[in-house]
Amino acid sequence: MKFLFDLFPVILFFGIFKWGEGHTDAAQALVSQYLSGFVSGGIVTATQAPIILATAVAIIATLAQIGYLLARRKKVDAMLWVSLVIISVFGGATIYFHNEAFIKWKPTVLYWCFAAALLGSQLIMGKNLIRTMMEKQMALPEPIWAKVGFAWSAFFIFMGLLNLYVAFNFPINTWVNFKLFGGMGLMFAFVIGQSLYLSKYIKEPK
């Protein structure tokens, strides 16, 4: 459930973009009615409307996630706050300049923030964030925990680079598909591959 909760803005972004892509006139009308005040020049073409509408909905969805957690007096993860800042800045720039390039950078910046947090904690503070999250589920030798932390950092760096490659070398609809299905598929593949690798090292938690 938490995984689906975290994916909520991405799923909405995908769904709204696909709807707007198939109903460009309706998407343009919605953007003109509700977002024209946030757009430089106040005019958005039918081609630009789907990505702008999807971006606005993703920003609102992220705000709704945080509002929901605060209303239920639950902890808001630091990375969710970071995600809100990143999507507000890059998404806001996409809407204002009606330029899809900004929102295309958003996943990469978020991936690299994850990588920086993991590397910084492990190398500077001597704290393995992956171990902190997973040690209640499994026990591993200390050198293996270090490898797991570095592996996740490398994976996020790779995902950031791959996102940029797809974003700026393929059509926008290909990037939107990759953002949901490609990113999620690679994440699952990485988790499964790492689980198989770690299976020979796992000990019973104390």
Side-chain angles (χ1 to χ4, degrees):
M1 288 300 295
K2 186 179 185 305
F3 179 72
L4 290 176
F5 181 80
D6 292 341
L7 272 182
F8 178 61
V10 179
I11 294 171
L12 274 183
F13 179 90
F14 174 84
I16 294 297
F17 177 83
K18 289 300 180 181
W19 175 85
E21 198 176 34
H23 304 81
T24 53
D25 290 339
Q28 184 182 26
L30 285 172
V31 171
S32 298
Q33 183 176 355
Y34 295 106
L35 297 174
S36 59
F38 300 97
V39 175
S40 175
I43 298 175
V44 172
T45 67
T47 303
Q48 297 168 334
I51 193 66
I52 290 176
L53 187 61
T55 298
V57 169
I59 294 172
I60 294 169
T62 306
L63 282 167
Q65 281 181 311
I66 292 177
Y68 171 80
L69 291 172
L70 292 175
R72 294 177 62 87
R73 300 182 182 276
K74 293 187 176 182
K75 180 182 177 182
V76 179
D77 292 338
M79 291 313 299
L80 185 53
W81 286 112
V82 172
S83 180
L84 175 63
V85 171
I86 293 172
I87 196 171
S88 296
V89 171
F90 287 87
T94 286
I95 294 170
Y96 181 77
F97 294 107
H98 34 95
N99 186 336
E100 65 194 39
F102 294 100
I103 196 63
K104 286 179 175 180
W105 268 92
K106 183 262 178 184
T108 290
V109 174
L110 188 59
Y111 285 134
W112 287 351
C113 282
F114 289 153
L118 292 174
L119 285 173
S121 296
Q122 193 162 336
L123 296 176
I124 299 173
M125 301 173 62
K127 183 178 181 180
N128 190 318
L129 295 180
I130 298 296
R131 178 175 183 171
T132 300
M133 291 185 289
M134 297 175 60
E135 63 183 350
K136 290 184 179 179
Q137 284 73 46
M138 67 177 72
L140 294 169
E142 186 59 39
I144 302 302
W145 278 122
K147 290 182 179 180
V148 171
F150 288 128
W152 274 102
S153 299
F155 174 73
F156 284 130
I157 292 171
F158 165 75
M159 288 297 294
L161 292 171
L162 182 59
N163 174 72
L164 292 180
Y165 176 76
V166 175
F168 293 102
N169 289 279
F170 294 91
I172 182 68
N173 60 337
T174 301
W175 174 73
V176 171
N177 291 336
F178 169 79
K179 189 172 183 289
L180 178 60
F181 300 110
M184 187 168 58
L186 288 171
M187 180 75 74
F188 278 136
F190 178 77
V191 169
I192 291 171
Q194 188 176 74
S195 297
L196 292 173
Y197 170 76
L198 294 178
S199 61
K200 58 185 175 182
Y201 296 106
I202 293 176
K203 301 180 296 184
E204 290 295 324
K206 294 181 181 179

